[in-house]
Amino acid sequence: MSIVLTPFARARLFPRESRRNTIQDCSAEAFERRLNDEAPLKVLEGYAPFCRLHVHRNWTSTRCMAVPVTDANRHLLRSAYESRTKQELPVLVRWFEGVEPPVAHYLLPILYSREQLAKEGEPIDADWGVVGCLYTMEPEEIPMVPITMLRNALGVEEGGSGVPLDREAYRRAAAFWDAHANWRG
């Protein structure tokens, strides 16, 4: 099985200007090489048949991506309308500024099949393409951000995957993300 970073994931996980909330102490090439050379601790089924997550121990200083919202840090939440790419419409996002999350214990690359990526107009020369990565304390997936679920349901032309909305998964995700937020360094 071969794995490559998609251009979408490369730009988000390994931006030209390094950010503290991206993968640390590792180049995109070294990350890709490690995913191909090291078997995952376990493989998790994703939200659709074309998606899976590989669980790896964190070998970097990358910090957890989600931080619990508390009375002590609620004042550090920020929000804005942003798009992930120039083609996508901006959506409301929120994040913390000024928090110091713990170093993640696990990295969970999110993989899409070659067939799905071709359908989304991002062909790859490998079996699987990395479209994102979760940085977590537990070797488990955290819920997808609700707006990503909605974007996926809108279809490929709106930056999604075309997978219909699962109302129960959406409710679980909304509950998680109501109590957590991403952070920016």
Side-chain angles (χ1 to χ4, degrees):
M1 178 177 77
S2 57
I3 300 170
V4 296
L5 276 165
T6 62
F8 178 80
R10 186 179 292 267
R12 293 173 56 84
L13 303 176
F14 300 94
R16 274 182 245 143
E17 273 189 44
S18 183
R19 297 189 315 261
R20 292 182 57 237
N21 63 340
T22 58
I23 295 178
Q24 304 294 300
D25 313 320
C26 185
S27 69
E29 294 74 23
F31 184 78
E32 193 175 273
R33 193 168 37 254
R34 182 124 184 193
L35 296 184
N36 281 288
D37 292 347
E38 179 182 286
L41 298 173
K42 64 181 176 176
V43 176
L44 305 175
E45 293 301 316
Y47 73 102
F50 58 77
C51 177
R52 64 173 57 160
L53 293 88
H54 282 191
V55 178
H56 290 270
R57 279 203 194 285
N58 184 7
W59 66 90
T60 72
S61 65
T62 304
R63 296 182 175 279
C64 286
M65 63 186 301
V67 177
V69 177
T70 66
D71 289 339
N73 65 18
R74 190 176 314 277
H75 69 284
L76 299 172
L77 281 171
R78 304 291 180 262
S79 62
Y81 280 90
E82 297 179 344
S83 53
R84 300 179 305 177
T85 68
K86 289 182 171 117
Q87 294 77 31
E88 290 182 0
L89 294 172
V91 298
L92 185 63
V93 294
R94 74 176 187 163
W95 67 92
F96 280 112
E97 286 184 0
V99 298
E100 192 71 21
V103 172
H105 290 170
Y106 299 93
L107 299 178
L108 284 72
I110 304 164
L111 309 177
Y112 276 20
S113 69
R114 173 188 13 236
E115 295 76 21
Q116 179 64 23
L117 289 168
K119 178 180 170 183
E120 294 185 20
E122 226 177 300
I124 57 170
D125 291 325
D127 301 316
W128 295 90
V130 177
V131 297
C133 189
L134 304 178
Y135 325 135
T136 65
M137 292 303 280
E138 301 300 323
E140 300 298 329
E141 180 180 11
I142 59 175
M144 187 182 299
V145 179
I147 192 61
T148 302
M149 297 173 108
L150 289 172
R151 185 184 288 115
N152 282 340
L154 288 174
V156 172
E157 51 283 340
E158 296 299 334
S161 62
V163 172
L165 189 64
D166 175 330
R167 292 176 68 83
E168 271 315 301
Y170 184 91
R171 284 188 173 98
R172 285 190 305 275
F176 178 87
W177 289 104
D178 188 47
H180 295 80
N182 289 320
W183 65 282
R184 297 182 181 175

